[in-house]
Amino acid sequence: CAFSIFSSAVATLSLAVDASAPEGLETLPLSLALILQGVANLVLPICKRKLGLKASYLLGASLGIVACGLLILGCFLVDFSTQCIGSALLGFSLSFAQNYRFVSVLFLPSNPASAMSAVLF
């Protein structure tokens, strides 16, 4: 599920900002999403330690909701900066979503392969 969301985000981020992006900056939102995804992978263990498992994943999901709202607002307003902020937050939240597979093993330790495949598909 997380990987299909990422691949659809790659396809749609570049298309969504095409009307509002200045010349030569069409791929900036996608770049911001990828960079923030890497940063979030570094921050995620700290979040888990400080906030706990449930709160950190709720934070990631909440950021994803806010990111989608900002992307929709940016498309309606044809505002490139709003789309860039939404893309950056989306990358941050995708990092949390891609780590759901590791948490699924905690809830089904007897069959980790089945737990991971349920999350990934």
Side-chain angles (χ1 to χ4, degrees), residues 45-79:
I46 298 167
C47 278
K48 283 188 206 177
R49 202 171 330 118
K50 297 270 186 191
L51 301 174
L53 193 65
K54 184 177 180 178
S56 63
Y57 283 112
L58 283 173
L59 172 68
S62 300
L63 284 175
I65 292 168
V66 170
C68 290
L70 284 173
L71 284 167
I72 291 169
L73 180 66
C75 286
F76 279 126
L77 297 177
V78 191
D79 183 29

Side-chain angles (χ1 to χ4, degrees), residues 7-36:
S7 60
S8 65
V10 168
T12 56
L13 280 178
S14 297
L15 293 173
V17 300
D18 189 43
S20 63
E23 185 67 33
L25 293 178
E26 293 88 1
T27 58
L28 180 64
L30 179 59
S31 301
L32 288 172
L34 293 174
I35 289 169
L36 265 290

Side-chain angles (χ1 to χ4, degrees), residues 1 101 104-105 108 111-121:
C1 180
R101 64 181 183 261
S104 69
V105 174
L108 192 61
N111 194 355
S114 176
M116 282 190 189
S117 65
V119 171
L120 293 175
F121 297 109

